[in-house]
Amino acid sequence: MYVAVKGGEQAIDNAHAFLAEERRGDPAVAELSIDQIREQLSLAVNRVMAEGSLYDPDLAALAIKQARGDMIEAIFLIRAYRTTLPRLGQSRPIDTGAMAAIRRVSATYKDLPGGQVLGPTFDYTHRLIDFALMADGEAPQAPTAAPHGAMPRVSGLLDAEGLVEAEPFSNTEPPDLTRTPMELPANRALRLQALARGDEGFLLSLAYSSQRGFGRTHPFVGELRIGEVMVELDIPELGFSVEIGAITVTECETVNQFNGSKTQPPQFTRGYGLVFGQSERKAISMSLVDRALRWEELGEEDTGAPVQDAEFVLMHADNIQATGFLEHIKLPHYVDFQSELELVRQMRAGASEHQEAAP
Amino acid sequence: MTKSETDRARAMGLLARAPAALLEQLYPDLPAHTLLRGPEIGTVMVRGRQGGTGAPFNLGEMTATRCTVRLGCGTVGHAHVQGRERTHARRAAVLDALLQTDQAAALSESVLAPLQRTEATRRDTRAAKAAATRVEFFTLVRGED
């Protein structure tokens, strides 16, 4: 028998009111402003923009406030908002070589044109809690120096010697998983889009698993750079392009050992990571996962490692899809469960009759 | 691109990337105009290249607002600006139109030049702070000949 159930409106309204109160916390404590979140929790804002796949620092800061700091909930809010907006166009590919870099390091060359620029990094900090931050202090001031010249790509240095695989330039129209649901096999452009918006923790774990031996690719961070790039949009009405915005991105290029195959000479191969905002853990992870997923085109062995399995990686990297399916099981399943309960009772009754009937 | 197109693209870029509050401060009162389209908030899909230099892929979207206006004299102005500020897009579109009229020289001086300076100063400051974190390696002389 199916019984339609209604109700709970009052409970839901009151639950949302309770949520609003809990979100605000102790009213004696000053309320957080969106500007404060954007300026002082900027790496959280960056993560929400990257995985929300929408670059808008104010909106991401608002989502973090609304979600009480729950990052996946904030990302969910951004994804939902995005679906309400029309697509005005697509940019020309950003030129990361022309980036105004605030950080640029290479683990493969000590001396390279443009130098090792550490930028605002946690590296080399002692990871000791800084109790001084509990007190209101004066705004810190960073020292300055005269900028050095251009920062050519590290991969370009290797490429000039033919020691790294070529990265063929093209203007092929890439697939877009926000327009057409992802289908497998996915080409590299589609994989990179999925990874760029994938969950940082998931990609970190996959990349780590490959370092520990599950699909090892021997990566070196050839170059990691963080900085601002221009976003250039073709304006069809005018017939020319305009640099309509500037965004911060993190780019990681790994160079990986490669012994060569029947078709390829021994040379280094590439993994690539590109992420909105300052997010180098994610960019390095993405680069390792990208490289691992390229095993087939490079003629490498399938070791059965999770990181080599495109379906496993791409179908589980999106934390909004994952949390949607995972969390729905807490919602009412009364009827489903009732039928299973009925079934288990029948089976138990059948089993005990059978036992009683036996001599 | 012709010289006038290059100049217009440069001006539209400066107007688009300007902080909305600064643009309003530099040019607060808009002349009479008709809205032809928008201001409309939407997204632009930002693309990257595989390996930085190879084939394009879709990185993610950014918010943008577009607007098209016509001045009383019939000149049409257009704007695509980063973010979700409708007034920013409208002001940028009006200024794009005005920059095609005989007010161009005056507005270049009073609006574009300060925007250019502000953007350059911000960039130079960040570049200078980054430069101060450049590693200087010292070679240690070993005891061998």
Side-chain angles (χ1 to χ4, degrees):
Chain A
M1 186 175 64
Y2 178 74
V3 182
V5 181
K6 270 185 67 142
E9 286 92 342
Q10 191 62 49
I12 290 168
D13 284 349
N14 293 349
H16 291 169
F18 194 12
L19 167 67
E21 198 180 296
E22 290 286 288
R23 175 191 295 125
R24 177 62 183 85
D26 181 354
V29 176
E31 185 170 356
L32 262 180
S33 74
I34 301 308
D35 291 350
Q36 286 173 332
I37 296 170
R38 188 194 61 233
E39 295 301 312
Q40 297 173 39
L41 296 178
S42 53
L43 299 190
V45 168
N46 286 181
R47 182 168 178 190
V48 170
M49 294 196 299
E51 294 170 34
S53 202
L54 186 66
Y55 197 100
D56 188 320
D58 288 307
L59 203 63
L62 175 59
I64 290 168
K65 179 173 178 173
Q66 185 179 337
R68 304 174 66 193
D70 179 334
M71 300 299 275
I72 291 183
E73 182 70 19
I75 292 159
F76 201 157
L77 293 170
I78 294 295
R79 291 273 186 94
Y81 176 78
R82 188 209 72 87
T83 62
T84 67
L85 299 178
R87 175 79 60 84
L88 304 182
Q90 42 278 324
S91 81
R92 293 191 174 184
I94 55 174
D95 182 2
T96 50
M99 178 188 290
I102 55 165
R103 172 165 166 80
R104 187 277 199 119
V105 291
S106 169
T108 54
Y109 290 104
K110 178 168 73 72
D111 297 305
L112 74 171
Q116 309 271 354
V117 176
L118 300 181
T121 179
F122 293 125
D123 295 352
Y124 315 108
T125 62
H126 294 108
R127 265 71 184 222
L128 299 173
I129 289 281
D130 182 0
F131 291 98
L133 291 173
M134 287 177 72
D136 291 334
E138 277 182 33
Q141 192 80 44
T144 58
H148 283 256
M151 293 179 181
R153 290 179 177 285
V154 167
S155 59
L157 304 175
L158 284 166
D159 200 17
E161 284 188 77
L163 293 176
V164 69
E165 60 168 327
E167 187 68 80
F169 178 88
S170 88
N171 279 323
T172 312
E173 189 67 15
D176 183 353
L177 63 81
T178 68
R179 291 299 173 89
T180 315
M182 189 162 54
E183 278 187 30
L184 297 166
N187 67 13
R188 192 176 175 206
L190 193 58
R191 297 197 302 256
L192 287 172
Q193 183 183 14
L195 297 178
R197 55 196 263 138
D199 183 78
E200 178 176 319
F202 182 70
L203 296 187
L204 170 65
S205 294
L206 282 170
Y208 179 47
S209 75
S210 79
Q211 288 184 294
R212 288 193 65 255
F214 292 83
R216 195 193 298 278
T217 59
H218 307 277
F220 294 95
V221 172
E223 185 167 4
L224 183 69
R225 50 170 86 196
I226 302 174
E228 211 170 77
V229 293
M230 290 290 187
V231 178
E232 191 175 350
L233 178 71
D234 283 310
I235 313 288
E237 297 87 334
L238 305 178
F240 56 80
S241 66
V242 175
E243 290 178 334
I244 67 159
I247 61 172
T248 296
V249 295
T250 303
E251 180 185 51
C252 176
E253 283 196 87
T254 49
V255 289
N256 303 62
Q257 222 180 66
F258 182 61
N259 296 329
S261 67
K262 282 178 193 141
T263 53
Q264 309 262 3
Q267 59 183 1
F268 290 103
T269 55
R270 300 171 187 247
Y272 190 65
L274 185 65
V275 185
F276 279 157
Q278 176 171 349
S279 186
E280 61 189 56
R281 184 185 303 115
K282 166 93 179 266
I284 299 169
S285 302
M286 177 172 167
S287 198
L288 264 61
V289 174
D290 169 50
R291 175 59 186 79
L293 287 173
R294 298 184 58 218
W295 65 272
E296 208 164 357
E297 64 194 71
L298 292 168
E300 291 174 334
E301 187 196 350
D302 178 9
T303 64
V307 74
Q308 289 183 313
D309 184 335
E311 181 178 357
F312 182 82
V313 173
L314 300 176
M315 291 300 180
H316 302 122
D318 192 297
N319 52 26
I320 301 309
Q321 281 175 7
T323 205
F325 196 60
L326 180 112
E327 292 200 49
H328 99 279
I329 66 171
K330 72 190 174 185
L331 299 174
H333 282 66
Y334 306 139
V335 176
D336 288 5
F337 186 69
Q338 200 63 45
S339 74
E340 298 227 346
L341 199 60
E342 205 61 35
L343 187 65
V344 172
R345 282 193 177 125
Q346 270 176 23
M347 285 161 66
R348 287 173 64 97
S352 59
E353 271 171 29
H354 189 71
Q355 270 178 359
E356 280 164 21
Chain B
M1 252 165 103
T2 65
K3 167 82 169 68
S4 69
E5 281 179 346
T6 313
D7 287 349
R8 189 171 174 198
R10 188 187 142 271
M12 290 176 77
L14 280 172
L15 295 168
R17 300 189 303 273
L22 174 63
L23 190 60
E24 184 174 353
Q25 193 189 321
L26 292 169
Y27 193 79
D29 301 317
L30 302 184
H33 61 276
T34 316
L35 284 171
L36 298 183
R37 179 174 66 179
E40 179 187 19
I41 299 173
T43 70
V44 168
M45 175 56 87
V46 179
R47 288 181 172 169
R49 289 190 179 280
Q50 302 176 17
T53 54
F57 70 95
N58 290 307
L59 173 62
E61 287 162 285
M62 68 173 214
T63 54
T65 307
R66 70 178 170 195
C67 186
T68 306
V69 300
R70 184 168 54 217
L71 302 179
C73 64
T75 313
V76 172
H78 187 77
H80 272 79
V81 309
Q82 185 173 5
R84 288 167 292 114
E85 293 256 14
R86 288 191 179 85
T87 52
H88 180 189
R90 187 167 184 164
R91 186 166 277 108
V94 169
L95 280 161
D96 175 53
L98 288 169
L99 282 163
Q100 298 169 68
T101 68
D102 56 8
Q103 294 188 48
L107 288 170
S108 289
E109 197 55 42
S110 64
V111 177
L112 296 184
L115 293 182
Q116 170 80 50
R117 278 197 300 273
T118 307
E119 191 174 70
T121 305
R122 197 181 65 84
R123 270 191 212 155
D124 292 349
T125 308
R126 287 183 70 74
K129 285 177 186 170
T133 68
R134 186 174 190 270
V135 180
E136 302 292 346
F137 290 104
F138 300 97
T139 307
L140 301 176
V141 180
R142 300 177 63 185
E144 303 150 13
D145 278 326

